[in-house]
Structure formats: C-alpha cells, structure tokens
Amino acid sequence: MLRLLIQGECISSKELTINKNDASIDASILVVGNKQFITTFVKRTCYIRSSTVEVSLELDDVIQHIKTRQPAILILQATQVASLQLCRQIKEQKLLGWIYCILINDLPEIAITKMGRDPNWELRECAQALENGADAYLRISSISNQDSPIAVAEHRLLKAQIQAGLRGVRLYREAMQTNDFLSRIALVDPLTELSNRRAMEWELPRQVENAFSQSTPLSLIILDVDYFKSINDNYGHPVGDSALKLLASRLKHNLRIKDSLFRYGGEEFVIILSHTDCEEARAVANRVRHIISDQPFQIDRRLVLPITISLGVASLNNTDDHRGESLLRSADHNLRIAKSNGRNQVYCCCNH
C-alpha cells in the first residue's frame, strides 16, 4: 500500500471559494485507485479543499487504514473490482458509517463507446453504487483536458459533492459532541459534581466482572450522614446542600486514586474500592470517618457544624452476583447495623 500525504500547500490560486463552515472542519480525504486515478483526483481535491489527502493503490488493507485514520471523505475508483464491497463494508460498521463515500467512474467517453454499452448502463451503475453504500456516484474522466468546459463542470460537481460530505461530517461531529455533553450531564450529580447513582449502576457491574475474571479483591462502602434531617430542619435546605457539597469535596480529596466515589442519593454516598480486601476496606472506612468527624464544617462565617457519618462495608465473595447487587445489599445491611449501634462508626463484614 502506498500512502502519500499531501498538505494544503498544493492549493491553487484559481481554486473556487469553499463554504466557510466546511473549510473550518479538520477533516482528511482518502483517495483509492490506480496511479492515473490518484494523480488526477489528488490534484483536483487539493484545488478544492485545503486538507490532508492520503492515497492508496490497493484495496486490501484500506479498511484497517480507515479504522485507524477515519478520513471524512473517501474517493474511490469505481472501475476497481472491490470498490463496491469496500463501500458496503464501511457502511455496515457503526463507527465508520458516517464516512462520506464518493464513487467515481473515470472511464472516458471514447472507452465507453468502444465497450458497446447500452444507454442505460450508467443509470444501473449509479443505482448499484448507491445500493452498496456509496453516498455519491460520479462519472469524471481522469484524462480530460482540465481547461475544457466539461472539465470545469466536472470540477464543480466534485467540489459540490465534497462540500456535501463535509456538511454531513460537521453535523455528525456536532451530534457526537452534544451526545457526549448530555451523557456527562446524565452521569453527574449537579449539587456535588460527583458521579451519580446512574453512573454507579454502570460502573459497579464492570468492576465486579473484572474482579471475578482477574481473581482480585473488591470492596464497597456505603456511608450516610448522621442526623442529616435535623440540619435541614434547623438551618434550612440551603445549609444542608452546602454541608453535602463540603462533605463531597472532603471525601473526593482524601480517597485513593483507585477508589470510585458516587453520590448514591440524598445524604448517602458509595465508594467502590478496587483491589481492596475486607480488612483494607475497613481501614479506609475508618480513615474516612475520622476525616469527616474530626474537623467541623465551616458553612459560612457564622455557622460551623459538627458532622459525623456511619459506614457499612462489604467485600465481594464467590456467592455474589456479577452485577454487584448482592454486594451493595450487604454494604447497605452493614450500614443499618452501624446506625443502629449508635452512628459515627464503621460496621464491616469482617467484624466477625
């Protein structure tokens, strides 16, 4: 496979103006065909679009190249046998289907006449190309006189198709950015800015599965703020919210890198402790308890609140399910025991 990188410097002073939005897209173009096809369409593409153009003389390893580089636009020589198959392969893959595929038949008119094809052959070729995943099918000769009226018209058509492809790429990227933003919002608690319960319900099964498959320990802590209702009742919900934000910040900055912290709901928090056995988890829980109880919380200049927490700890064992539901229930059960025993304490599955 031959890969030739051609940067935007090859732009001609005679190039046609491109839509400003399209020009701002950082997108590459891959041209696939024989040497004559590549020579012609790399040059034409550079006249149209200031971007990196890559080329390939062979179709055999183009898919792997596309997966790695993900060009925005693919320009394929239609007369190559495997071109339609390549289009179909790309469109069948979820992560590549957005790539804009332009299939170009570069046979000159005289060659088509000598082949004795009937007048409807081009319509059938176009339909077949679109049916197999091509986004556009063009007939542009690779040996026509570049100054002729037909060459100018062909250049305009190719430019229009590239612009159409770039518009699609821009819309796809904007949609992906929006989806990423919405996903982050959906997985973050707005008050504490910690990962929320939904994020925990996604992360816990993954960590449990890893622990089982790698035979590594895994533990979990559920903690609850003691007498939190009295803070809201005596000082109001804004003070309660401030207390939760300060508590979340103190937890976040005093856990280990490998620990995963979540706001489970209300005044409850969950900590997933990867590669941590029961005794280590209990030590972490006791350290967290002291971090919260040993230093009162400065809500504002006039209000300082002493806050304590109760913690339930459980460790994964062979009888637990792979979604982590039984592990979570065990930790929650131990939390209730810690609260019933007087609060401001840790109850762990390895107490007995």
Side-chain angles (χ1 to χ4, degrees), residues 10-16 47:
C10 62
I11 299 299
S12 167
S13 60
K14 297 180 181 178
E15 72 171 295
L16 299 175
Y47 284 159

Short mmCIF file of all heavy atoms in Angstrom, two decimals, residues 10-16 47:
data_model
loop_
_atom_site.label_atom_id
_atom_site.label_comp_id
_atom_site.label_asym_id
_atom_site.label_seq_id
_atom_site.Cartn_x
_atom_site.Cartn_y
_atom_site.Cartn_z
N CYS A 10 -0.77 22.69 -1.65
CA CYS A 10 -0.95 22.46 -3.07
C CYS A 10 -2.16 23.22 -3.62
O CYS A 10 -2.51 23.09 -4.78
CB CYS A 10 -1.10 20.97 -3.37
SG CYS A 10 -2.53 20.21 -2.60
N ILE A 11 -2.81 24.03 -2.78
CA ILE A 11 -3.98 24.77 -3.24
C ILE A 11 -3.60 25.76 -4.33
O ILE A 11 -2.62 26.48 -4.22
CB ILE A 11 -4.62 25.53 -2.06
CG1 ILE A 11 -5.07 24.51 -1.01
CG2 ILE A 11 -5.78 26.38 -2.49
CD1 ILE A 11 -6.09 23.55 -1.53
N SER A 12 -4.39 25.79 -5.38
CA SER A 12 -4.14 26.69 -6.50
C SER A 12 -4.76 28.05 -6.24
O SER A 12 -5.78 28.16 -5.55
CB SER A 12 -4.75 26.11 -7.78
OG SER A 12 -4.78 27.08 -8.79
N SER A 13 -4.16 29.08 -6.79
CA SER A 13 -4.72 30.42 -6.64
C SER A 13 -6.04 30.55 -7.40
O SER A 13 -6.80 31.48 -7.19
CB SER A 13 -3.73 31.47 -7.17
OG SER A 13 -3.47 31.23 -8.54
N LYS A 14 -6.31 29.58 -8.29
CA LYS A 14 -7.53 29.63 -9.09
C LYS A 14 -8.69 28.86 -8.43
O LYS A 14 -9.75 28.73 -9.01
CB LYS A 14 -7.28 29.02 -10.48
CG LYS A 14 -6.25 29.79 -11.30
CD LYS A 14 -6.07 29.12 -12.63
CE LYS A 14 -5.02 29.84 -13.47
NZ LYS A 14 -4.81 29.17 -14.77
N GLU A 15 -8.44 28.31 -7.22
CA GLU A 15 -9.46 27.45 -6.61
C GLU A 15 -10.75 28.22 -6.35
O GLU A 15 -10.76 29.43 -6.15
CB GLU A 15 -8.97 26.86 -5.29
CG GLU A 15 -8.88 27.85 -4.15
CD GLU A 15 -8.61 27.19 -2.83
OE1 GLU A 15 -9.48 26.43 -2.38
OE2 GLU A 15 -7.55 27.42 -2.26
N LEU A 16 -11.87 27.50 -6.37
CA LEU A 16 -13.14 28.11 -6.10
C LEU A 16 -13.30 28.28 -4.60
O LEU A 16 -12.77 27.51 -3.81
CB LEU A 16 -14.27 27.22 -6.64
CG LEU A 16 -14.24 26.98 -8.15
CD1 LEU A 16 -15.32 25.99 -8.53
CD2 LEU A 16 -14.40 28.29 -8.91
N TYR A 47 -7.12 21.28 -5.21
CA TYR A 47 -7.63 22.54 -5.74
C TYR A 47 -8.91 22.96 -5.01
O TYR A 47 -9.23 24.14 -4.91
CB TYR A 47 -7.93 22.42 -7.23
CG TYR A 47 -6.72 22.44 -8.12
CD1 TYR A 47 -6.77 21.92 -9.41
CD2 TYR A 47 -5.51 22.98 -7.67
CE1 TYR A 47 -5.66 21.94 -10.25
CE2 TYR A 47 -4.39 23.00 -8.49
CZ TYR A 47 -4.47 22.47 -9.77
OH TYR A 47 -3.37 22.49 -10.59
#
